[in-house]
Amino acid sequence: PWEVYKQPQTVFVASFVGHMNFIGVEVSREDAELRIRAVGETAELLLPVTATDGESGVDELLLAVRPEDIEIADKGNGAGFRLPCTVAKSTFTGSLVEYTLTTEGGLALLAERHRPELSKIIPEGTSVDAIVRSETVHLFDQGSGRRIRMGGTQ
């Protein structure tokens, strides 16, 4: 089950086991890297990609990231794929806070914080940056639903 959760091989498996944010992305290839931009957003991320099984020409991709892998930072702080957001909803469930974040382009993301301190719970309406690090993302071909290997991963 750990491998299925951490390294899902298809969109179906990624959505079946736990929560997953799926983001449609626009892609351009630069040598052995992909320049990825969320549709309707301005933030970009460069990812090393190992093209396999004829996937080198894939243009329509889904970027997937688990809610616990989205960092929430003050505006302008933090490194990675930064999406300016507003905290649309903050739900405290005891050992977990679930945040619904909305971007300026209308994208909704689910983020989670485990065992938060009371002073660190972010109120609704707060402007933040959702940060996604390259090592926490999964890429899938939108057509086939199959995972695309990134450099150094299986």
Side-chain angles (χ1 to χ4, degrees):
W2 186 91
E3 292 84 9
V4 171
Y5 185 80
K6 288 294 193 180
Q7 298 177 349
Q9 297 302 305
T10 66
V11 169
F12 173 76
V13 171
S15 61
F16 181 75
V17 180
H19 293 288
M20 183 73 85
N21 292 289
F22 291 100
I23 304 168
V25 293
E26 297 170 345
V27 179
S28 61
R29 186 169 292 278
E30 294 184 11
D31 298 321
E33 294 183 313
L34 292 180
R35 180 175 297 277
I36 295 176
R37 185 167 54 87
V39 174
E41 307 294 337
T42 57
E44 291 186 340
L45 179 66
L46 284 175
L47 294 174
V49 173
T50 304
T52 60
D53 302 325
E55 295 169 337
S56 60
V58 173
D59 292 324
E60 295 182 8
L61 300 180
L62 283 176
L63 181 144
V65 62
R66 298 273 180 206
E68 65 271 19
D69 291 329
I70 295 178
E71 296 177 30
I72 302 172
D74 293 333
K75 286 281 199 187
N77 290 330
F81 184 46
R82 295 177 49 221
L83 293 166
C85 294
T86 300
V87 176
K89 187 175 180 184
S90 174
T91 306
F92 178 74
T93 62
S95 64
L96 177 75
V97 176
E98 291 183 343
Y99 295 102
T100 300
L101 308 174
T102 54
T103 67
E104 296 166 353
L107 181 64
L109 300 171
L110 178 64
E112 297 174 347
R113 289 295 156 271
H114 294 271
R115 299 182 182 170
E117 296 176 30
L118 179 60
S119 64
K120 298 202 176 187
I121 295 175
I122 306 166
E124 294 176 6
T126 303
S127 293
V128 296
D129 282 343
I131 300 173
V132 177
R133 297 190 188 280
S134 61
E135 61 271 13
T136 65
V137 303
H138 309 277
L139 285 179
F140 297 95
D141 177 328
Q142 279 192 5
S144 70
R146 290 179 44 205
R147 183 181 178 137
I148 295 174
R149 284 194 226 171
M150 293 182 281
T153 65
Q154 297 298 320

